[in-house]
Amino acid sequence: MLAARWPPPGDDSFIPAENPYWDPEIETMPPEERAQLVLRKLKAQLAYCASNSDFYRGRWAAAGIDPGSISSLDDIRRVPILRKEELRTEQTEHPPFGRYLCIPRDKVLRIHGTSGTTGRPTAFGVSQGDWQRIATAHARIMWAAGIRPNDTIFIGSFFGLYWGGWGALIGAERLGATCFPFGAGVPGQTLQAVEWLAQMRPTAFYGTPSYALRIAEVARDAGYDPADFGIRVLFFSGEPGAGIPATKQLIESTFGGICIDMGSMAEMSPWMSNAECHERTGMHLWDDLVYTELLDPVTEEPVGPGEVGVLVYTHLERDSQPMIRLWSGDLSRYTDEPCPCGRTYRRLPDGLLGRADDMLVIRGENVYPAAIEEAIRAAGCSGEFRVTVVRQGALDEMKVRTEAVAGHSDNDLRNSVVSHLKKKLGLRVEVEIAPAGSLERTEFKSRRVSDERTMSQDVQSILDSR
Ligand code: 8LH
């Protein structure tokens, strides 16, 4: 459905008849044709921002850009890149939403926000139209993951300011599925989750990969086999895991359902605009919803297929707080090879490799946190793990703490981690096996890798200065 109106109406009640695609025309069109559609939407989005936002008007005038002169997708490179710090500064100077709120204050339907653990929290003001458009976009993408109206979707995620759980909920509602907004984060709730999963037998699950694995552990301790819950589709966002082959496989073998990777950033809602289909060949870039560039972290020039770049996102149908060229800091690679699902979107076959500021340089090698997790999981570690990088004398050393696994001797597990990391990263590691269940778990996003060298700050400041 190539909506003639911009932004497209969000209150559409359409649900496809049984069909692999929600919108076959857009999802399978030749990429060149989609580029024309994206360009049309981009021009409308830019014109809208120029008419409704002093913030965008001011920055584009300062950069000497007339958004009306954008006549190709390449031209977007003339538009200044936007960074999260600029959004924070704008909200400090023009509270509470910043002048990139393009609707009157009394038209804000929902307020969401970041947790603010690393600085001033960012406030999200969302219009009714955007809320509905996000719901429809998410329903379409969840459809591609194989979710249907007869599914029951268990949402094991916080219902507060965080967008993750809400995004899954409104997509599920729009798709006509049965929603089960279980939540997360209340003491004792994980055991309750297990009991409800066993009783209600939902067919789909949303949360973070860490939390799904935590639920599986608690289930086993309580005498349940998570594979007996009957979950067909598990979809995730918020952290690496679902895009890491060994972790994906661990989740699939634990629950017996397919594991789907999704997620961009809260600011970019519909955050499912990076999302795998049921074929699980890497997240598709749903470019007709959010246009995504991959740029070299240093030169900010576009990278080609297979090259590592930072994802930079542009909304194409937001009227409340549109983001134009938001620098995510997340590194990835894309391919334009076809996917067996028949969708013609580019894909991120390795998921998100990690944030540019989390990338470690160890003895001259670039090491992505996702690659560390891949090696540790492939070594057979099904419990929690922690990785610390320290400098000993002149040398960088990586230390891994992971947990004992039933049926494996600590020594075998240790050797397996050492050899997988050596093979994957070419690094020598020191491995300690802690008792099963002894490392702290999370119900949200885990932070498993920490860099205790002072050099990481140097790298950070180089990246920040670019
Ligand atoms: C990811 C992934 C992923 C997000 N693989 N890293 O959950 C989606 C939205 C709501 C979200 O988490 O937004 P938030 O809190 O702004 O965090 C965004 C960051 O989370 C993003 O920049 C990534 O670093 C990370 N993330 N989904 C790996 N599938």
Side-chain angles (χ1 to χ4, degrees):
M1 289 158 291
L2 306 177
R5 242 178 71 192
W6 190 95
D11 60 351
D12 178 358
S13 57
F14 163 83
I15 293 180
E18 189 45 49
N19 182 322
Y21 311 108
W22 182 280
D23 191 328
E25 188 179 0
I26 289 184
E27 292 171 37
T28 64
M29 65 177 30
E32 318 74 65
E33 215 177 294
R34 186 176 304 110
Q36 291 309 310
L37 169 67
V38 171
L39 179 61
R40 281 203 304 279
K41 290 179 80 166
L42 174 66
K43 288 166 76 140
Q45 179 76 73
L46 294 177
Y48 174 84
C49 293
S51 315
N52 292 284
S53 162
D54 285 341
F55 173 75
Y56 281 118
R57 251 196 313 271
R59 55 193 277 119
W60 295 345
I65 300 299
D66 167 11
S69 70
I70 301 291
S71 60
S72 72
L73 281 185
D74 269 356
D75 279 352
I76 198 175
R77 286 160 54 200
R78 298 199 276 121
V79 177
I81 286 174
L82 181 57
R83 304 201 183 241
K84 276 175 86 155
E85 309 79 80
E86 293 176 281
L87 298 177
R88 281 196 210 107
T89 307
E90 173 65 13
Q91 292 201 340
T92 306
E93 289 170 2
H94 301 275
F97 293 108
R99 293 164 306 154
Y100 57 93
L101 182 73
C102 296
I103 53 170
R105 171 68 180 79
D106 65 355
K107 294 288 179 218
V108 171
L109 174 79
R110 308 271 313 207
I111 298 172
H112 285 267
T114 59
S115 57
T117 43
T118 55
R120 186 189 197 278
T122 308
F124 306 133
V126 193
S127 69
Q128 180 165 32
D130 277 347
W131 193 249
Q132 288 171 332
R133 275 183 288 278
I134 292 166
T136 301
H138 282 190
R140 164 144 84 101
I141 294 165
M142 287 161 67
W143 188 274
I147 296 172
R148 293 293 179 269
N150 60 4
D151 278 308
T152 296
I153 306 179
F154 178 98
I155 302 173
S157 176
F158 299 87
F159 285 96
L161 288 180
Y162 178 60
W163 263 97
W166 292 105
L169 178 69
I170 62 177
E173 282 176 346
R174 174 66 184 80
L175 192 143
T178 303
C179 301
F180 186 3
F182 188 81
V186 176
Q189 202 175 3
T190 307
L191 181 56
Q192 281 178 13
V194 166
E195 282 157 2
W196 277 96
L197 285 166
Q199 189 191 74
M200 200 58 72
R201 298 181 54 76
T203 47
F205 174 99
Y206 168 78
T208 58
S210 301
Y211 194 42
L213 290 172
R214 173 69 188 142
I215 289 178
E217 267 181 345
V218 173
R220 288 195 177 112
D221 288 348
Y224 295 98
D225 179 349
D228 292 339
F229 294 153
I231 304 175
R232 231 171 27 78
V233 181
L234 298 101
F235 60 110
F236 297 103
S237 73
E239 62 169 8
I244 297 174
T247 306
K248 192 187 232 8
Q249 216 233 316
L250 175 65
I251 290 173
E252 296 197 345
S253 60
T254 300
F255 288 94
I258 60 171
C259 167
I260 304 274
D261 190 21
M262 297 183 173
S264 61
M265 301 161 77
E267 285 82 354
M268 289 316 304
S269 294
W271 55 256
M272 287 188 193
S273 65
N274 293 343
E276 285 187 304
C277 64
H278 61 97
E279 297 284 352
R280 294 145 17 250
T281 56
M283 294 195 278
H284 286 287
L285 297 174
W286 294 69
D287 267 331
D288 55 290
L289 297 167
V290 169
Y291 177 58
T292 300
E293 301 166 79
L294 275 94
L295 304 184
D296 183 284
V298 179
T299 63
E300 297 178 359
E301 288 297 312
V303 298
E307 290 170 352
V308 173
V310 171
L311 296 159
V312 176
Y313 303 116
T314 296
H315 275 128
L316 294 178
E317 45 180 64
R318 277 291 294 268
D319 69 9
S320 44
Q321 277 180 323
M323 294 288 105
I324 308 295
R325 302 199 85 202
L326 183 64
W327 182 267
S328 68
D330 290 311
L331 296 165
S332 192
R333 304 185 181 99
Y334 79 91
T335 174
D336 39 25
E337 291 293 312
C339 176
C341 76
R343 288 178 186 78
T344 48
Y345 297 109
R346 292 171 296 162
R347 284 178 290 124
L348 307 177
D350 308 311
L352 304 188
L353 298 167
R355 299 186 52 76
D357 43 16
D358 287 343
M359 189 186 79
L360 303 163
V361 182
I362 304 179
R363 294 183 218 144
E365 297 290 334
N366 292 350
V367 177
Y368 300 108
I372 302 176
E373 175 163 348
E374 164 65 14
I376 292 177
R377 293 284 183 216
C381 298
S382 52
E384 239 339 302
F385 66 88
R386 293 287 183 279
V387 178
T388 321
V389 185
V390 293
R391 178 156 297 156
Q392 284 178 347
L395 275 188
D396 300 324
E397 296 294 343
M398 186 191 278
K399 296 186 178 181
V400 175
R401 274 190 96 200
T402 183
E403 294 179 345
V405 175
H408 295 263
S409 80
D410 287 3
N411 211 26
D412 287 352
L413 192 61
R414 184 179 303 109
N415 290 340
S416 175
V417 176
V418 170
S419 84
H420 276 82
L421 280 165
K422 177 89 189 142
K423 203 160 111 204
K424 179 103 190 155
L425 312 175
L427 289 174
R428 190 177 58 241
V429 291
E430 200 180 292
V431 180
E432 184 191 329
I433 310 289
S438 61
L439 299 179
E440 198 188 331
R441 269 46 178 175
T442 178
E443 296 175 2
F444 192 39
K445 305 188 186 199
S446 60
R447 282 203 73 83
R448 298 192 171 100
V449 181
S450 75
D451 187 350
E452 294 181 355
R453 300 166 300 176
T454 49
M455 197 184 87
S456 66
Q457 281 146 21
D458 303 340
V459 172
Q460 176 66 60
S461 62
I462 293 167
L463 285 167
D464 284 349
S465 66
R466 282 169 183 157

